[in-house]
Amino acid sequence: MALIPHIDFRVAPHVYGAGFSALRNSDADLVVMLGTSHYWDADPIVVTNKPFLTPLGVVPVVDHPLYNPLADIAHKPEHSLELHVVALQHLWQDRPFEILPVLVTQRLFEEGVLSDTIEQLHDVIQSTGKRPLWLISGDLAHVGKKFGDELPAQALLPDVADGDRRLIKALEDNDLGSYRNAIESSDNRFRVCGYAPTILAHLAHPVGRGRTVAYDVWNEQETLSAVSFATIIWD
């Protein structure tokens, strides 16, 4: 399983490179892609059945019963999954694979929803008979003027770094309790957008210790804003 950010390739090529290089030798032929939903929050998960067309060709979506027509509205403007599809095409250009593209919203945390969603995903994956790789697409903190803070990002970055260290340590230790508490106790002060897909992936596909292969912050001076991000791999 891997957590890789969905910030622009041009901003963090080294973070993407470190993450996808670690997946090069995977024998998976199905990638379960769990990404942050930025534009739709009416459902806990939104799963399209439309193939992904990129400059590198078409990637098919595995057969599944989770589609509804509103999924197209959510997926069309979304970037959290399509960036990873392009990277996977480049990485595995000599062999076919399919994807299960799942956008995740905060409604995942409503009563009873999380366990039902995990069961749905397990049923789909088992029905395919394929070898899955779980890939989480999400960033860490979003701070500064663009995101509604009164202070510019530069003034917040020391606190962001401390918070990120705690979150990353919890994820490396696979300590979901500490990870959830760090975010929820502050009412997600730093707007960690990868929260929901990360929780879903870890509960649906338990793993051991993780290792962080890259971490960085994009400080956007023109908007006085910043986004932090990391890549973590669980074997």
Side-chain angles (χ1 to χ4, degrees):
M1 184 161 69
L3 165 63
I4 301 179
H6 52 241
I7 200 164
D8 195 314
F9 281 139
R10 296 167 295 179
V11 171
H14 58 295
V15 180
Y16 277 101
F20 283 100
S21 291
L23 306 179
R24 182 178 301 279
N25 295 323
S26 169
D27 67 350
D29 52 4
L30 169 64
V31 183
V32 183
M33 308 181 71
L34 304 181
T36 303
S37 178
H38 291 92
Y39 308 105
W40 185 266
D41 62 1
D43 303 280
I45 60 171
V46 191
V47 193
T48 186
N49 65 1
K50 301 294 192 299
F52 278 53
L53 173 63
T54 82
L56 299 183
V58 177
V59 175
V61 173
V62 73
D63 287 338
H64 66 83
L66 304 179
Y67 172 76
N68 75 66
L70 295 178
D72 299 338
I73 299 174
H75 278 265
K76 185 173 182 179
E78 189 56 69
H79 62 275
S80 69
L81 299 182
E82 66 177 15
L83 291 175
H84 286 187
V85 171
V86 176
L88 288 168
Q89 286 175 292
H90 175 73
L91 184 72
W92 295 338
Q93 55 189 291
D94 296 327
R95 63 183 179 89
F97 64 94
E98 294 182 305
I99 59 174
L100 180 64
V102 183
L103 296 176
V104 188
T105 80
Q106 293 299 310
R107 297 196 65 174
L108 183 77
F109 299 113
E110 295 177 357
E111 185 175 355
V113 170
L114 184 55
S115 58
D116 288 346
T117 301
I118 291 171
E119 184 176 354
Q120 289 176 325
L121 292 179
H122 282 169
D123 287 347
V124 170
I125 294 165
Q126 186 174 9
S127 71
T128 69
K130 293 182 176 294
R131 300 178 299 276
L133 167 69
W134 292 71
L135 181 56
I136 309 163
S137 174
D139 298 327
L140 291 169
H142 296 67
V143 296
K145 297 287 189 174
K146 184 167 70 173
F147 302 109
D149 289 315
E150 294 183 2
L151 294 174
Q154 192 63 41
L156 299 168
L157 287 181
D159 288 341
V160 166
D162 287 343
D164 285 348
R165 279 193 289 269
R166 288 193 294 273
L167 293 180
I168 290 170
K169 175 70 163 57
L171 290 176
E172 288 177 334
D173 293 343
N174 198 19
D175 183 356
L176 285 189
S178 293
Y179 177 73
R180 295 188 72 163
N181 183 65
I183 293 176
E184 293 178 3
S185 63
S186 68
D187 196 26
N188 202 2
R189 174 190 173 195
F190 294 139
R191 308 172 190 90
V192 177
C193 80
Y195 178 40
T198 300
I199 289 294
L200 177 56
H202 276 264
L203 292 177
H205 184 66
V207 291
R209 283 192 57 83
R211 67 186 190 279
T212 301
V213 298
Y215 172 81
D216 209 340
V217 177
W218 172 249
N219 195 349
E220 194 175 74
Q221 297 291 344
E222 60 269 31
T223 64
L224 301 178
S225 304
V227 178
S228 63
F229 41 90
T231 291
I232 304 175
I233 305 293
W234 293 267
D235 295 321

